[in-house]
Amino acid sequence: MKELLIKLKMLSIREAQLKNKRVLLRLDLNLPMKDGKLTSTFRLRAALASIRYLLARQAKIILISHLGRPQGFDKRFSLEPIILELKRHLKVPIFWTEEVLSMAVRKKAERLDNSEILVLGNLRYLPEEEANDLKFAKELASLADIYVNDAFSCSHRAHASIVGVTKFLPSYAGLRMEEEIESLDRLLTRHPKPFLMLVGGAKLKDKTDTLRNILPIAERVALGGGTANTFLKAQGEEISESLYEESLLDVAREMINHYPEKLILPVDWLVEYLPSGGFRISDVGPLTLAILEREIAHAKTIFLAGNFGISEDERFRGGTEKILRIMAKTLKRTIISGGDTVGLAEQLNLLSRFAFVSTGGGATLEFLAGKPLPGLEALKERCPYCRGAFGGKHPSFQE
Ligand code: 3PG
Ligand code: MG
């Protein structure tokens, strides 16, 4: 783990002096909710390791997160339900406010005791957050002594709490961040072969770069969901009114031609008939699932990103559920990612059965596309050792 962070040129929270320090801790507590109730607490539970690590070392935590995409202050995007959940897991004082920055916030931050937590209001109440406004970032930073990014799943966003703040504070990667980078980097560089990548989800647009990067690496890439439809259409299948992306037909054709043995497309599917007389592909069919079952049995590393059916509708979750259950039964290196997929695995009580569950959706796909993530780049730039200070020697560098 240490070696990887050195390779990535980041400092780990493990290397920080934490006692009596005010730590600005960026988490991704953007949890899915329905009717004001949390539908998954996975991301919150994934963040507990870093919180507990900081508390045990007598740091004072100033916790920051966004939730959803509010346009200005909006009580519907309050972190309150999430804080109530946090309180169920931690037995330390947790103070919270709807304000992001104010005199009261500053005073509270200054008076915080060791092993106490102050949670600020939803960062996206303020437009400065998404604008990566440096003045705002500086003010946020001024509340603390050090900054920890444990929000891997937000690190593809160049926002003030992810990028801007690192300009003003010594900046470290949190424990979950380390784990995410370690697991995904391993997938790109050191996975047991054969490697089977299963890519579903609604849109191919979000995944073309990931597919371009993964196709040369993986032994097999199986497609499902809306992502597969553009390929089916490119192959000349009748897909009626199914979701597909016209502008990506050539990309799909090119991939089919270039990787005919690697790409696995659905061979049968469930359809929903529409009032118009047309139909919509809504899930993969039994023959496809049988092929995938064989491929999973054959592979040593299996990664699933995105659902294989229109899973908002319970009738069309069967395919993804079957894939998850088969994956959960193998003892091989299995990884899943994406909010809908992880949410479904959580509902089925299967989360503990995977080798790794990524908190990221977009961030995971971008990492696997080989793209630099702004949040990780910012941590790299802030690593004093890697920037040449102290003779360029990273403290944990052993040779
Ligand atoms: C997510 O859920 O994808 C992350 O929390 C980032 O949120 P965003 O997609 O609204 O930037
Ligand atoms: Mg997102």
Side-chain angles (χ1 to χ4, degrees), residues 269-303:
W269 38 85
L270 307 189
V271 300
E272 181 182 22
Y273 290 99
L274 302 170
S276 60
F279 66 84
R280 207 162 60 142
I281 297 177
S282 40
D283 202 353
V284 282
L287 293 177
T288 306
L289 286 170
I291 292 172
L292 296 181
E293 184 160 17
R294 258 206 326 274
E295 291 295 338
I296 292 171
H298 180 63
K300 293 220 168 74
T301 302
I302 306 132
F303 187 106

PDB file of all heavy atoms in Angstrom, residues 269-303:
ATOM      1  N   TRP A 269     -32.638 -11.312 -25.029  1.00  0.00           N
ATOM      2  CA  TRP A 269     -33.005 -10.269 -24.072  1.00  0.00           C
ATOM      3  C   TRP A 269     -34.499 -10.279 -23.785  1.00  0.00           C
ATOM      4  O   TRP A 269     -35.304 -10.803 -24.562  1.00  0.00           O
ATOM      5  CB  TRP A 269     -32.583  -8.882 -24.575  1.00  0.00           C
ATOM      6  CG  TRP A 269     -32.744  -8.683 -26.049  1.00  0.00           C
ATOM      7  CD1 TRP A 269     -33.865  -8.298 -26.713  1.00  0.00           C
ATOM      8  CD2 TRP A 269     -31.738  -8.897 -27.049  1.00  0.00           C
ATOM      9  NE1 TRP A 269     -33.621  -8.248 -28.056  1.00  0.00           N
ATOM     10  CE2 TRP A 269     -32.325  -8.609 -28.302  1.00  0.00           C
ATOM     11  CE3 TRP A 269     -30.403  -9.285 -27.030  1.00  0.00           C
ATOM     12  CZ2 TRP A 269     -31.629  -8.701 -29.505  1.00  0.00           C
ATOM     13  CZ3 TRP A 269     -29.701  -9.385 -28.227  1.00  0.00           C
ATOM     14  CH2 TRP A 269     -30.309  -9.095 -29.445  1.00  0.00           C
ATOM     15  N   LEU A 270     -34.849  -9.710 -22.632  1.00  0.00           N
ATOM     16  CA  LEU A 270     -36.260  -9.525 -22.311  1.00  0.00           C
ATOM     17  C   LEU A 270     -36.676  -8.186 -22.902  1.00  0.00           C
ATOM     18  O   LEU A 270     -35.883  -7.243 -22.921  1.00  0.00           O
ATOM     19  CB  LEU A 270     -36.476  -9.470 -20.794  1.00  0.00           C
ATOM     20  CG  LEU A 270     -35.918 -10.619 -19.952  1.00  0.00           C
ATOM     21  CD1 LEU A 270     -36.421 -10.487 -18.508  1.00  0.00           C
ATOM     22  CD2 LEU A 270     -36.335 -11.970 -20.526  1.00  0.00           C
ATOM     23  N   VAL A 271     -37.905  -8.100 -23.370  1.00  0.00           N
ATOM     24  CA  VAL A 271     -38.367  -6.821 -23.896  1.00  0.00           C
ATOM     25  C   VAL A 271     -39.649  -6.403 -23.198  1.00  0.00           C
ATOM     26  O   VAL A 271     -40.398  -7.233 -22.675  1.00  0.00           O
ATOM     27  CB  VAL A 271     -38.617  -6.863 -25.422  1.00  0.00           C
ATOM     28  CG1 VAL A 271     -37.342  -7.229 -26.166  1.00  0.00           C
ATOM     29  CG2 VAL A 271     -39.742  -7.799 -25.772  1.00  0.00           C
ATOM     30  N   GLU A 272     -39.843  -5.093 -23.196  1.00  0.00           N
ATOM     31  CA  GLU A 272     -41.105  -4.557 -22.693  1.00  0.00           C
ATOM     32  C   GLU A 272     -41.830  -3.969 -23.901  1.00  0.00           C
ATOM     33  O   GLU A 272     -41.252  -3.136 -24.618  1.00  0.00           O
ATOM     34  CB  GLU A 272     -40.814  -3.469 -21.660  1.00  0.00           C
ATOM     35  CG  GLU A 272     -42.069  -2.886 -21.064  1.00  0.00           C
ATOM     36  CD  GLU A 272     -41.763  -1.757 -20.068  1.00  0.00           C
ATOM     37  OE1 GLU A 272     -40.684  -1.167 -20.143  1.00  0.00           O
ATOM     38  OE2 GLU A 272     -42.646  -1.481 -19.246  1.00  0.00           O
ATOM     39  N   TYR A 273     -43.056  -4.425 -24.136  1.00  0.00           N
ATOM     40  CA  TYR A 273     -43.787  -3.877 -25.278  1.00  0.00           C
ATOM     41  C   TYR A 273     -44.389  -2.531 -24.908  1.00  0.00           C
ATOM     42  O   TYR A 273     -44.871  -2.343 -23.794  1.00  0.00           O
ATOM     43  CB  TYR A 273     -44.845  -4.870 -25.768  1.00  0.00           C
ATOM     44  CG  TYR A 273     -44.168  -6.060 -26.414  1.00  0.00           C
ATOM     45  CD1 TYR A 273     -43.989  -7.245 -25.706  1.00  0.00           C
ATOM     46  CD2 TYR A 273     -43.657  -5.951 -27.706  1.00  0.00           C
ATOM     47  CE1 TYR A 273     -43.317  -8.313 -26.281  1.00  0.00           C
ATOM     48  CE2 TYR A 273     -42.974  -7.016 -28.289  1.00  0.00           C
ATOM     49  CZ  TYR A 273     -42.810  -8.184 -27.572  1.00  0.00           C
ATOM     50  OH  TYR A 273     -42.121  -9.231 -28.131  1.00  0.00           O
ATOM     51  N   LEU A 274     -44.333  -1.624 -25.841  1.00  0.00           N
ATOM     52  CA  LEU A 274     -44.770  -0.253 -25.561  1.00  0.00           C
ATOM     53  C   LEU A 274     -46.095   0.029 -26.257  1.00  0.00           C
ATOM     54  O   LEU A 274     -46.429  -0.639 -27.253  1.00  0.00           O
ATOM     55  CB  LEU A 274     -43.694   0.718 -26.061  1.00  0.00           C
ATOM     56  CG  LEU A 274     -42.300   0.504 -25.450  1.00  0.00           C
ATOM     57  CD1 LEU A 274     -41.250   1.333 -26.174  1.00  0.00           C
ATOM     58  CD2 LEU A 274     -42.315   0.846 -23.958  1.00  0.00           C
ATOM     59  N   PRO A 275     -46.867   1.017 -25.769  1.00  0.00           N
ATOM     60  CA  PRO A 275     -48.160   1.330 -26.384  1.00  0.00           C
ATOM     61  C   PRO A 275     -48.028   1.649 -27.874  1.00  0.00           C
ATOM     62  O   PRO A 275     -48.937   1.398 -28.664  1.00  0.00           O
ATOM     63  CB  PRO A 275     -48.627   2.581 -25.608  1.00  0.00           C
ATOM     64  CG  PRO A 275     -47.843   2.573 -24.335  1.00  0.00           C
ATOM     65  CD  PRO A 275     -46.572   1.844 -24.599  1.00  0.00           C
ATOM     66  N   SER A 276     -46.854   2.145 -28.260  1.00  0.00           N
ATOM     67  CA  SER A 276     -46.634   2.502 -29.664  1.00  0.00           C
ATOM     68  C   SER A 276     -46.609   1.280 -30.578  1.00  0.00           C
ATOM     69  O   SER A 276     -46.613   1.400 -31.796  1.00  0.00           O
ATOM     70  CB  SER A 276     -45.296   3.221 -29.791  1.00  0.00           C
ATOM     71  OG  SER A 276     -44.262   2.351 -29.341  1.00  0.00           O
ATOM     72  N   GLY A 277     -46.514   0.077 -29.979  1.00  0.00           N
ATOM     73  CA  GLY A 277     -46.383  -1.133 -30.790  1.00  0.00           C
ATOM     74  C   GLY A 277     -44.928  -1.584 -30.874  1.00  0.00           C
ATOM     75  O   GLY A 277     -44.642  -2.708 -31.267  1.00  0.00           O
ATOM     76  N   GLY A 278     -44.013  -0.692 -30.508  1.00  0.00           N
ATOM     77  CA  GLY A 278     -42.590  -1.042 -30.502  1.00  0.00           C
ATOM     78  C   GLY A 278     -42.218  -1.727 -29.192  1.00  0.00           C
ATOM     79  O   GLY A 278     -43.082  -2.068 -28.386  1.00  0.00           O
ATOM     80  N   PHE A 279     -40.930  -1.931 -28.980  1.00  0.00           N
ATOM     81  CA  PHE A 279     -40.494  -2.527 -27.719  1.00  0.00           C
ATOM     82  C   PHE A 279     -39.189  -1.917 -27.257  1.00  0.00           C
ATOM     83  O   PHE A 279     -38.528  -1.173 -27.984  1.00  0.00           O
ATOM     84  CB  PHE A 279     -40.346  -4.054 -27.856  1.00  0.00           C
ATOM     85  CG  PHE A 279     -39.241  -4.482 -28.785  1.00  0.00           C
ATOM     86  CD1 PHE A 279     -37.923  -4.568 -28.350  1.00  0.00           C
ATOM     87  CD2 PHE A 279     -39.529  -4.812 -30.121  1.00  0.00           C
ATOM     88  CE1 PHE A 279     -36.908  -4.969 -29.217  1.00  0.00           C
ATOM     89  CE2 PHE A 279     -38.510  -5.206 -30.993  1.00  0.00           C
ATOM     90  CZ  PHE A 279     -37.197  -5.283 -30.544  1.00  0.00           C
ATOM     91  N   ARG A 280     -38.859  -2.250 -26.013  1.00  0.00           N
ATOM     92  CA  ARG A 280     -37.655  -1.749 -25.388  1.00  0.00           C
ATOM     93  C   ARG A 280     -36.910  -2.929 -24.767  1.00  0.00           C
ATOM     94  O   ARG A 280     -37.527  -3.698 -24.010  1.00  0.00           O
ATOM     95  CB  ARG A 280     -38.103  -0.798 -24.258  1.00  0.00           C
ATOM     96  CG  ARG A 280     -37.156   0.275 -23.902  1.00  0.00           C
ATOM     97  CD  ARG A 280     -37.884   1.345 -23.133  1.00  0.00           C
ATOM     98  NE  ARG A 280     -38.481   0.821 -21.906  1.00  0.00           N
ATOM     99  CZ  ARG A 280     -38.516   1.487 -20.752  1.00  0.00           C
ATOM    100  NH1 ARG A 280     -37.976   2.677 -20.680  1.00  0.00           N
ATOM    101  NH2 ARG A 280     -39.091   0.984 -19.693  1.00  0.00           N
ATOM    102  N   ILE A 281     -35.624  -3.056 -25.076  1.00  0.00           N
ATOM    103  CA  ILE A 281     -34.834  -4.107 -24.427  1.00  0.00           C
ATOM    104  C   ILE A 281     -34.714  -3.740 -22.953  1.00  0.00           C
ATOM    105  O   ILE A 281     -34.327  -2.616 -22.621  1.00  0.00           O
ATOM    106  CB  ILE A 281     -33.433  -4.223 -25.052  1.00  0.00           C
ATOM    107  CG1 ILE A 281     -33.567  -4.625 -26.515  1.00  0.00           C
ATOM    108  CG2 ILE A 281     -32.562  -5.204 -24.275  1.00  0.00           C
ATOM    109  CD1 ILE A 281     -32.259  -4.714 -27.273  1.00  0.00           C
ATOM    110  N   SER A 282     -35.066  -4.666 -22.049  1.00  0.00           N
ATOM    111  CA  SER A 282     -35.104  -4.270 -20.646  1.00  0.00           C
ATOM    112  C   SER A 282     -34.233  -5.119 -19.720  1.00  0.00           C
ATOM    113  O   SER A 282     -33.984  -4.733 -18.597  1.00  0.00           O
ATOM    114  CB  SER A 282     -36.544  -4.255 -20.149  1.00  0.00           C
ATOM    115  OG  SER A 282     -37.230  -5.353 -20.670  1.00  0.00           O
ATOM    116  N   ASP A 283     -33.772  -6.282 -20.202  1.00  0.00           N
ATOM    117  CA  ASP A 283     -32.853  -7.082 -19.384  1.00  0.00           C
ATOM    118  C   ASP A 283     -32.207  -8.123 -20.295  1.00  0.00           C
ATOM    119  O   ASP A 283     -32.702  -8.366 -21.408  1.00  0.00           O
ATOM    120  CB  ASP A 283     -33.623  -7.775 -18.237  1.00  0.00           C
ATOM    121  CG  ASP A 283     -32.715  -8.164 -17.066  1.00  0.00           C
ATOM    122  OD1 ASP A 283     -31.478  -8.022 -17.205  1.00  0.00           O
ATOM    123  OD2 ASP A 283     -33.236  -8.610 -16.037  1.00  0.00           O
ATOM    124  N   VAL A 284     -31.117  -8.718 -19.797  1.00  0.00           N
ATOM    125  CA  VAL A 284     -30.506  -9.789 -20.596  1.00  0.00           C
ATOM    126  C   VAL A 284     -31.324 -11.074 -20.433  1.00  0.00           C
ATOM    127  O   VAL A 284     -31.996 -11.262 -19.417  1.00  0.00           O
ATOM    128  CB  VAL A 284     -29.031 -10.037 -20.187  1.00  0.00           C
ATOM    129  CG1 VAL A 284     -28.121  -8.985 -20.772  1.00  0.00           C
ATOM    130  CG2 VAL A 284     -28.867 -10.101 -18.669  1.00  0.00           C
ATOM    131  N   GLY A 285     -31.246 -11.941 -21.442  1.00  0.00           N
ATOM    132  CA  GLY A 285     -32.033 -13.179 -21.427  1.00  0.00           C
ATOM    133  C   GLY A 285     -31.261 -14.358 -20.873  1.00  0.00           C
ATOM    134  O   GLY A 285     -30.068 -14.249 -20.560  1.00  0.00           O
ATOM    135  N   PRO A 286     -31.924 -15.534 -20.764  1.00  0.00           N
ATOM    136  CA  PRO A 286     -31.317 -16.710 -20.131  1.00  0.00           C
ATOM    137  C   PRO A 286     -30.086 -17.262 -20.870  1.00  0.00           C
ATOM    138  O   PRO A 286     -29.150 -17.736 -20.237  1.00  0.00           O
ATOM    139  CB  PRO A 286     -32.453 -17.749 -20.115  1.00  0.00           C
ATOM    140  CG  PRO A 286     -33.497 -17.225 -21.035  1.00  0.00           C
ATOM    141  CD  PRO A 286     -33.338 -15.747 -21.110  1.00  0.00           C
ATOM    142  N   LEU A 287     -30.082 -17.182 -22.205  1.00  0.00           N
ATOM    143  CA  LEU A 287     -28.913 -17.708 -22.939  1.00  0.00           C
ATOM    144  C   LEU A 287     -27.687 -16.855 -22.645  1.00  0.00           C
ATOM    145  O   LEU A 287     -26.585 -17.357 -22.435  1.00  0.00           O
ATOM    146  CB  LEU A 287     -29.189 -17.704 -24.446  1.00  0.00           C
ATOM    147  CG  LEU A 287     -30.267 -18.679 -24.923  1.00  0.00           C
ATOM    148  CD1 LEU A 287     -30.498 -18.523 -26.427  1.00  0.00           C
ATOM    149  CD2 LEU A 287     -29.853 -20.115 -24.595  1.00  0.00           C
ATOM    150  N   THR A 288     -27.910 -15.553 -22.614  1.00  0.00           N
ATOM    151  CA  THR A 288     -26.810 -14.634 -22.301  1.00  0.00           C
ATOM    152  C   THR A 288     -26.287 -14.912 -20.891  1.00  0.00           C
ATOM    153  O   THR A 288     -25.073 -14.966 -20.668  1.00  0.00           O
ATOM    154  CB  THR A 288     -27.306 -13.167 -22.392  1.00  0.00           C
ATOM    155  OG1 THR A 288     -27.903 -12.993 -23.671  1.00  0.00           O
ATOM    156  CG2 THR A 288     -26.171 -12.182 -22.196  1.00  0.00           C
ATOM    157  N   LEU A 289     -27.199 -15.111 -19.966  1.00  0.00           N
ATOM    158  CA  LEU A 289     -26.782 -15.371 -18.585  1.00  0.00           C
ATOM    159  C   LEU A 289     -25.990 -16.676 -18.487  1.00  0.00           C
ATOM    160  O   LEU A 289     -25.019 -16.767 -17.733  1.00  0.00           O
ATOM    161  CB  LEU A 289     -27.995 -15.401 -17.649  1.00  0.00           C
ATOM    162  CG  LEU A 289     -28.595 -14.015 -17.367  1.00  0.00           C
ATOM    163  CD1 LEU A 289     -29.933 -14.138 -16.649  1.00  0.00           C
ATOM    164  CD2 LEU A 289     -27.629 -13.156 -16.547  1.00  0.00           C
ATOM    165  N   ALA A 290     -26.368 -17.661 -19.291  1.00  0.00           N
ATOM    166  CA  ALA A 290     -25.629 -18.934 -19.282  1.00  0.00           C
ATOM    167  C   ALA A 290     -24.203 -18.705 -19.797  1.00  0.00           C
ATOM    168  O   ALA A 290     -23.237 -19.257 -19.257  1.00  0.00           O
ATOM    169  CB  ALA A 290     -26.365 -19.970 -20.125  1.00  0.00           C
ATOM    170  N   ILE A 291     -24.082 -17.871 -20.821  1.00  0.00           N
ATOM    171  CA  ILE A 291     -22.736 -17.563 -21.358  1.00  0.00           C
ATOM    172  C   ILE A 291     -21.918 -16.839 -20.287  1.00  0.00           C
ATOM    173  O   ILE A 291     -20.759 -17.164 -20.037  1.00  0.00           O
ATOM    174  CB  ILE A 291     -22.856 -16.682 -22.625  1.00  0.00           C
ATOM    175  CG1 ILE A 291     -23.489 -17.481 -23.759  1.00  0.00           C
ATOM    176  CG2 ILE A 291     -21.483 -16.134 -23.034  1.00  0.00           C
ATOM    177  CD1 ILE A 291     -23.835 -16.656 -24.990  1.00  0.00           C
ATOM    178  N   LEU A 292     -22.547 -15.886 -19.624  1.00  0.00           N
ATOM    179  CA  LEU A 292     -21.821 -15.115 -18.603  1.00  0.00           C
ATOM    180  C   LEU A 292     -21.416 -16.017 -17.437  1.00  0.00           C
ATOM    181  O   LEU A 292     -20.327 -15.871 -16.885  1.00  0.00           O
ATOM    182  CB  LEU A 292     -22.671 -13.938 -18.108  1.00  0.00           C
ATOM    183  CG  LEU A 292     -22.996 -12.878 -19.182  1.00  0.00           C
ATOM    184  CD1 LEU A 292     -23.817 -11.749 -18.584  1.00  0.00           C
ATOM    185  CD2 LEU A 292     -21.717 -12.322 -19.810  1.00  0.00           C
ATOM    186  N   GLU A 293     -22.281 -16.943 -17.094  1.00  0.00           N
ATOM    187  CA  GLU A 293     -21.956 -17.866 -15.997  1.00  0.00           C
ATOM    188  C   GLU A 293     -20.694 -18.672 -16.344  1.00  0.00           C
ATOM    189  O   GLU A 293     -19.801 -18.843 -15.509  1.00  0.00           O
ATOM    190  CB  GLU A 293     -23.145 -18.798 -15.733  1.00  0.00           C
ATOM    191  CG  GLU A 293     -22.908 -19.713 -14.551  1.00  0.00           C
ATOM    192  CD  GLU A 293     -24.202 -20.283 -13.966  1.00  0.00           C
ATOM    193  OE1 GLU A 293     -25.239 -20.249 -14.639  1.00  0.00           O
ATOM    194  OE2 GLU A 293     -24.143 -20.764 -12.823  1.00  0.00           O
ATOM    195  N   ARG A 294     -20.634 -19.120 -17.586  1.00  0.00           N
ATOM    196  CA  ARG A 294     -19.432 -19.865 -18.032  1.00  0.00           C
ATOM    197  C   ARG A 294     -18.196 -18.978 -17.990  1.00  0.00           C
ATOM    198  O   ARG A 294     -17.134 -19.392 -17.540  1.00  0.00           O
ATOM    199  CB  ARG A 294     -19.653 -20.368 -19.456  1.00  0.00           C
ATOM    200  CG  ARG A 294     -19.999 -21.830 -19.533  1.00  0.00           C
ATOM    201  CD  ARG A 294     -19.618 -22.502 -20.845  1.00  0.00           C
ATOM    202  NE  ARG A 294     -19.707 -21.700 -22.048  1.00  0.00           N
ATOM    203  CZ  ARG A 294     -20.811 -21.541 -22.789  1.00  0.00           C
ATOM    204  NH1 ARG A 294     -21.946 -22.113 -22.415  1.00  0.00           N
ATOM    205  NH2 ARG A 294     -20.791 -20.821 -23.879  1.00  0.00           N
ATOM    206  N   GLU A 295     -18.341 -17.772 -18.451  1.00  0.00           N
ATOM    207  CA  GLU A 295     -17.199 -16.843 -18.474  1.00  0.00           C
ATOM    208  C   GLU A 295     -16.714 -16.536 -17.049  1.00  0.00           C
ATOM    209  O   GLU A 295     -15.526 -16.438 -16.801  1.00  0.00           O
ATOM    210  CB  GLU A 295     -17.575 -15.533 -19.188  1.00  0.00           C
ATOM    211  CG  GLU A 295     -17.793 -15.682 -20.679  1.00  0.00           C
ATOM    212  CD  GLU A 295     -16.516 -16.072 -21.431  1.00  0.00           C
ATOM    213  OE1 GLU A 295     -15.407 -15.842 -20.921  1.00  0.00           O
ATOM    214  OE2 GLU A 295     -16.647 -16.631 -22.540  1.00  0.00           O
ATOM    215  N   ILE A 296     -17.662 -16.378 -16.137  1.00  0.00           N
ATOM    216  CA  ILE A 296     -17.287 -16.087 -14.742  1.00  0.00           C
ATOM    217  C   ILE A 296     -16.546 -17.287 -14.152  1.00  0.00           C
ATOM    218  O   ILE A 296     -15.547 -17.142 -13.448  1.00  0.00           O
ATOM    219  CB  ILE A 296     -18.535 -15.705 -13.902  1.00  0.00           C
ATOM    220  CG1 ILE A 296     -19.081 -14.347 -14.367  1.00  0.00           C
ATOM    221  CG2 ILE A 296     -18.201 -15.661 -12.405  1.00  0.00           C
ATOM    222  CD1 ILE A 296     -20.418 -13.938 -13.782  1.00  0.00           C
ATOM    223  N   ALA A 297     -17.014 -18.489 -14.502  1.00  0.00           N
ATOM    224  CA  ALA A 297     -16.355 -19.702 -13.993  1.00  0.00           C
ATOM    225  C   ALA A 297     -14.917 -19.788 -14.507  1.00  0.00           C
ATOM    226  O   ALA A 297     -14.018 -20.264 -13.824  1.00  0.00           O
ATOM    227  CB  ALA A 297     -17.148 -20.933 -14.418  1.00  0.00           C
ATOM    228  N   HIS A 298     -14.699 -19.291 -15.699  1.00  0.00           N
ATOM    229  CA  HIS A 298     -13.396 -19.394 -16.348  1.00  0.00           C
ATOM    230  C   HIS A 298     -12.419 -18.310 -15.871  1.00  0.00           C
ATOM    231  O   HIS A 298     -11.211 -18.515 -15.810  1.00  0.00           O
ATOM    232  CB  HIS A 298     -13.626 -19.287 -17.862  1.00  0.00           C
ATOM    233  CG  HIS A 298     -12.393 -19.384 -18.667  1.00  0.00           C
ATOM    234  ND1 HIS A 298     -11.617 -20.516 -18.690  1.00  0.00           N
ATOM    235  CD2 HIS A 298     -11.773 -18.483 -19.477  1.00  0.00           C
ATOM    236  CE1 HIS A 298     -10.579 -20.315 -19.491  1.00  0.00           C
ATOM    237  NE2 HIS A 298     -10.648 -19.093 -19.974  1.00  0.00           N
ATOM    238  N   ALA A 299     -12.954 -17.132 -15.524  1.00  0.00           N
ATOM    239  CA  ALA A 299     -12.096 -15.972 -15.202  1.00  0.00           C
ATOM    240  C   ALA A 299     -11.523 -16.067 -13.789  1.00  0.00           C
ATOM    241  O   ALA A 299     -12.043 -16.784 -12.937  1.00  0.00           O
ATOM    242  CB  ALA A 299     -12.917 -14.694 -15.334  1.00  0.00           C
ATOM    243  N   LYS A 300     -10.437 -15.327 -13.557  1.00  0.00           N
ATOM    244  CA  LYS A 300      -9.863 -15.258 -12.205  1.00  0.00           C
ATOM    245  C   LYS A 300     -10.081 -13.888 -11.577  1.00  0.00           C
ATOM    246  O   LYS A 300     -10.023 -13.723 -10.360  1.00  0.00           O
ATOM    247  CB  LYS A 300      -8.369 -15.566 -12.253  1.00  0.00           C
ATOM    248  CG  LYS A 300      -8.063 -17.000 -12.650  1.00  0.00           C
ATOM    249  CD  LYS A 300      -6.898 -17.532 -11.815  1.00  0.00           C
ATOM    250  CE  LYS A 300      -6.717 -19.018 -11.937  1.00  0.00           C
ATOM    251  NZ  LYS A 300      -6.142 -19.411 -13.228  1.00  0.00           N
ATOM    252  N   THR A 301     -10.278 -12.890 -12.435  1.00  0.00           N
ATOM    253  CA  THR A 301     -10.614 -11.547 -11.950  1.00  0.00           C
ATOM    254  C   THR A 301     -11.891 -11.136 -12.666  1.00  0.00           C
ATOM    255  O   THR A 301     -11.972 -11.230 -13.894  1.00  0.00           O
ATOM    256  CB  THR A 301      -9.499 -10.534 -12.291  1.00  0.00           C
ATOM    257  OG1 THR A 301      -8.277 -10.981 -11.703  1.00  0.00           O
ATOM    258  CG2 THR A 301      -9.833  -9.144 -11.778  1.00  0.00           C
ATOM    259  N   ILE A 302     -12.883 -10.689 -11.901  1.00  0.00           N
ATOM    260  CA  ILE A 302     -14.168 -10.330 -12.506  1.00  0.00           C
ATOM    261  C   ILE A 302     -14.600  -8.983 -11.959  1.00  0.00           C
ATOM    262  O   ILE A 302     -14.705  -8.801 -10.744  1.00  0.00           O
ATOM    263  CB  ILE A 302     -15.256 -11.388 -12.181  1.00  0.00           C
ATOM    264  CG1 ILE A 302     -14.768 -12.779 -12.602  1.00  0.00           C
ATOM    265  CG2 ILE A 302     -16.570 -11.042 -12.878  1.00  0.00           C
ATOM    266  CD1 ILE A 302     -14.950 -13.824 -11.560  1.00  0.00           C
ATOM    267  N   PHE A 303     -14.842  -8.050 -12.847  1.00  0.00           N
ATOM    268  CA  PHE A 303     -15.244  -6.707 -12.428  1.00  0.00           C
ATOM    269  C   PHE A 303     -16.590  -6.393 -13.054  1.00  0.00           C
ATOM    270  O   PHE A 303     -16.755  -6.489 -14.266  1.00  0.00           O
ATOM    271  CB  PHE A 303     -14.192  -5.687 -12.895  1.00  0.00           C
ATOM    272  CG  PHE A 303     -14.414  -4.305 -12.368  1.00  0.00           C
ATOM    273  CD1 PHE A 303     -13.597  -3.791 -11.365  1.00  0.00           C
ATOM    274  CD2 PHE A 303     -15.429  -3.490 -12.862  1.00  0.00           C
ATOM    275  CE1 PHE A 303     -13.795  -2.514 -10.865  1.00  0.00           C
ATOM    276  CE2 PHE A 303     -15.643  -2.213 -12.366  1.00  0.00           C
ATOM    277  CZ  PHE A 303     -14.814  -1.726 -11.369  1.00  0.00           C
TER     278      PHE A 303
END
